[in-house]
Amino acid sequence: MVSHTIINYHSPLHLIDNLSNGHNFRLANPAIAQPSQQLGRVCRYDTSLSKRESELVILLTGAAYKSASEFDIHAIEANKAGLAWDVIKSIPWRNEDFSLDKVKEYVLPVLEKEHDNMKVDDSNQTLPSREREIAIVLFTAELLDTTTVSDETYEKTKAILDGKDSVLVEITAILGYYSYVAYTLNVFKIPSGMRPVK
């Protein structure tokens, strides 16, 4: 079983090192590992996206690349960030091919239902933006499904995200970094050490 401190470490590469049966991937090629750790830290902790929004991007990426380890680890993190298990479980990946159409069919209705049921419990709490999360999910799913986004998707998402190209750069960087992590986990068959999300 993986300890809680490993899961919450700043870089997935540290997690990979600890789960890889003694193979230290950072030492295998430090010239690649060190900058990627820095990129991972920025993608995970230094963007304008909320943790919940970032975890949605990461889960969709793990699903598209069929990375059980990435998905299972980040399912727990996404739930801690406030994403309901129903939304997490609606993401198509284990027994299905990932596609934008399937995300629209399976994920969006469940995400919208979660937003419909949200309530503010105290005066300091703010609710996640339905429109923002849906735009992020659709942008991410289109990019994962087609390797690009249409001009219409780009402009619509940008408008919803305060007209900032920088947020689209952040989403794309998170997706790109976690694609790299998914490939690493898949190629070296590194288990998550977590109970699979079903």
Side-chain angles (χ1 to χ4, degrees):
M1 187 65 154
V2 177
S3 75
H4 185 68
T5 53
I6 292 173
I7 293 169
N8 287 325
Y9 193 79
H10 295 295
S11 169
L13 293 177
H14 179 38
L15 178 63
I16 290 167
D17 288 345
N18 282 281
L19 294 174
S20 58
N21 300 321
H23 297 101
N24 190 315
F25 292 94
R26 288 183 293 160
L27 292 179
N29 192 330
I32 293 173
Q34 289 171 355
S36 71
Q37 267 192 300
Q38 184 177 3
L39 177 61
R41 206 170 7 263
V42 171
C43 287
R44 185 121 165 111
Y45 300 108
D46 295 332
T47 71
S48 64
L49 274 66
S50 70
K51 184 167 183 194
R52 180 182 158 108
E53 292 167 345
S54 292
E55 292 297 336
L56 272 168
V57 173
I58 297 166
L59 285 175
L60 290 167
T61 304
Y65 286 95
K66 297 205 177 301
S67 177
S69 295
E70 185 164 270
F71 194 89
D72 291 343
I73 292 164
H74 285 280
I76 292 167
E77 293 301 310
N79 185 252
K80 287 180 189 175
L83 198 62
W85 283 114
D86 287 345
V87 175
I88 295 165
K89 291 176 184 178
S90 73
I91 297 172
W93 79 282
R94 278 201 196 269
N95 299 315
E96 301 180 57
D97 289 329
F98 182 92
S99 71
L100 173 60
D101 288 338
K102 287 183 179 173
V103 169
K104 287 178 179 178
E105 181 181 350
Y106 300 132
V107 180
L108 289 187
V110 180
L111 184 61
E112 289 174 339
K113 183 178 178 184
E114 181 189 23
H115 278 276
D116 289 342
N117 294 329
M118 286 183 176
K119 294 184 174 109
V120 175
D121 293 332
D122 64 60
S123 59
N124 294 328
Q125 183 183 9
T126 58
L127 295 176
S129 165
R130 171 197 303 248
E131 188 178 37
R132 229 181 114 89
E133 286 189 353
I134 289 171
I136 289 168
V137 165
L138 291 174
F139 181 94
T140 301
E142 184 174 329
L143 182 53
L144 287 164
D145 188 27
T146 68
T147 71
T148 191
V149 294
S150 67
D151 291 343
E152 179 184 356
T153 298
Y154 186 96
E155 292 303 327
K156 182 178 180 181
T157 307
K158 179 180 171 181
I160 292 169
L161 301 177
D162 304 321
K164 296 180 180 176
D165 288 305
S166 61
V167 183
L168 300 178
V169 170
E170 292 171 345
I171 295 167
T172 304
I174 292 168
L175 186 154
Y177 175 75
Y178 281 94
S179 297
Y180 158 70
V181 172
Y183 278 135
T184 304
L185 293 166
N186 289 349
V187 167
F188 298 103
K189 297 177 179 27
I190 299 167
S192 70
M194 313 301 292
R195 196 175 85 228
V197 176
K198 296 183 181 179

